[in-house]
Amino acid sequence: MSATIKDVAKMAGVAVSTVSYALNNSPKISEETRRKVVRAAEALNFRPSGAARNLKKRKSETIGLFLNDLGGPFYSQVIEGVQEIVASHDYNLIVCSTYGGENSSAHRFLREKFVDGAIIMGTAISDSLILQVASESFPIVVLDRELRGDYVHNVLITNEQGGYDAVAHLIKLGRRNIEFLSGPSAAFDNTQRYEGYKRALLEHDLPVPKRIAMHGRFLEAGGYQAVKLLLASKRLPDAIFAANDEMAIGAIRALHEAGLRVPEDIAIVGFDNINLAPLIRPALSTIGHSKFEVGAIATQLVFNARKEEDVIILPTQLIARQSCGFSGGVSEQDHDNLVASILHVGGRTKH
Amino acid sequence: MSATIKDVAKMAGVAVSTVSYALNNSPKISEETRRKVVRAAEALNFRPSGAARNLKKRKSETIGLFLNDLGGPFYSQVIEGVQEIVASHDYNLIVCSTYGGENSSAHRFLREKFVDGAIIMGTAISDSLILQVASESFPIVVLDRELRGDYVHNVLITNEQGGYDAVAHLIKLGRRNIEFLSGPSAAFDNTQRYEGYKRALLEHDLPVPKRIAMHGRFLEAGGYQAVKLLLASKRLPDAIFAANDEMAIGAIRALHEAGLRVPEDIAIVGFDNINLAPLIRPALSTIGHSKFEVGAIATQLVFNARKEEDVIILPTQLIARQSCGFSGGVSEQDHDNLVASILHVGGRTKH
DNA sequence: GTGAAAGCGCTAACAC
DNA sequence: GTGTTAGCGCTTTCAC
């Protein structure tokens, strides 16, 4: 058993409150007493119990970031944005996985008020749980769904417009037969990106395929398999718009294996501009958005904790690289500047 | 203020202990009482306080994974390994960053016994803090340093042998002038990999460069800059062994920009076999190891919590792809099988 | 099967 | 400045 504040008090020959004050740097403790206390605490290897302090103060000074998949390449920059703001408030950040349904750590932490606020990305936490636990002392920000409720805020990106821009660009480059490589149909992001795809086709008088031919579950392997299946059908499109970059990368792999050239035979545009996108060959054209800023703004909303919902929508930006054929959009060099400008939107949009 | 167990008891017309038993599914509560309690709890939107429960039970049933950099591409598989074992013990996992020195969340959580055990990767937590807080009720596993102490365990990989294998392979392919692209000199992994590099040169009667020409801080941008500097010096090697894959990828980028061909002009081998390695062009030759297994084994050690230190050393494996020139090592197709075999070492090695 | 009560290790109001 | 004390919201022992 490790030492408690009582042990320290006994050893230093003072009251527990004195120990508490001394160790929390209260100004009203004399230097001599403080030294005595510190010495005793060190001698006993005393470490205050966070659980006790949290119970007493009724807050943990930590906020939680809940993600579907801790390892995803997509999240890292979001995490950094969150981390930055959390640290600037002198708070702690814990990241944990929503994997495991009702018994996941995320569920427990949400229910048990382990954290003072939460940022949720991914669909594993139900709308109803979020609405139930959100409160003045427990604000929640959701990142990839639309959800209205007291003390629930949304940070979104212009998914529909991004999808539109991607497909309109392909059309401008002369592609006419553009397939949509879909993520999970239930995913909000996916649905919106698909709407943008449809709008671009319609506005250019192109037929919208009756049904989505390819489903890739937002995964590299999923994109690969979906394209393999498509290739077997022998009905080849001249371009593919993938609902995220990972699937686009899988698609490219499958096309290469089949001896098809990207972009000459089939052009590809992804979505998200993950770190990998410029590194693969051909470099992936995609729709970029500031993931860092999504995280940072979400975190600011947590600390603001207003009852009325805020809905922040951040812009997306076509980034044309090799995989779509002709670099008619933003050049890669310009991209850094664009990201910098995206970083300063901060507009608060109400629905 | 949200409802407490007392409120629930009052509303249900029972004692607090009854509420506690009922909600924790104690068998000695009658179905009727349980129903009453559950109804009251729901009506009040009661959520038990994790802090109070932890304080009372003197454990949190969560373990902490502390990383330098939450977003790194390297960590994701380690995290998955940890996650899997933690979940199988019905425990919670929190991941948090060691960034921020003394005031980082990681420091606080470690000191305040927020978690029941810790896995530490990265150098931001000092040896002395680890030794101080490790105890029977708080086992710690470190992943990338050697550290002996009660209730402190190590999971390592054969870094030195990996470095040797990488360089020996380059030599076998006819390269004679091999530079080392170094990570931070203080990093344990880096030092060991460098030792392997030296041994390979010495055993093949090749001169060891007097000083390390390139330092890339384990980052892509660092590798890029280091190679840019090297190129300026006009003394080109015919191969580079990078202490990790990210730097290797940066190196390739710099070489391409300079109009040099990889592997024809300069061959490259990295270390870690991150997800990206097979996807870039040329596909990166590297030293692979099972990151998932590192995480999984580390977590098992946390749950075992022996006083005597365990030192587990997992094997590495050369994975020859295009960037080193000739595919004389393990083919990519075979790699999955090898990884599978690596997954089942589990040998416990004592020093 | 249920209730009363002690206490986990702290903080902070209050007394001196 | 320092000590006394009352909880924070639970779990669990012990009576009944």
Side-chain angles (χ1 to χ4, degrees), chain B residues 5 17 20-21 46 49 53 56:
Chain B
I5 197 172
S17 54
S20 176
Y21 289 131
F46 170 68
S49 154
R53 197 163 50 79
K56 185 64 191 173

Side-chain angles (χ1 to χ4, degrees), chain B residues 173-229:
Chain B
L173 295 176
R175 309 290 171 159
R176 289 291 172 269
N177 188 0
I178 305 168
E179 286 281 356
F180 179 67
L181 174 46
S182 174
S185 342
F188 177 77
D189 290 344
N190 188 71
T191 311
Q192 293 212 312
R193 292 166 193 184
Y194 180 62
E195 290 301 324
Y197 159 83
K198 280 204 303 197
R199 179 161 66 89
L201 293 182
L202 290 172
E203 283 191 10
H204 294 82
D205 297 320
L206 291 171
V208 178
K210 275 182 294 296
R211 43 188 237 95
I212 298 173
M214 300 186 287
H215 286 268
R217 290 162 294 134
F218 276 163
L219 302 173
E220 200 268 349
Y224 175 83
Q225 289 156 12
V227 169
K228 280 280 188 195
L229 244 65

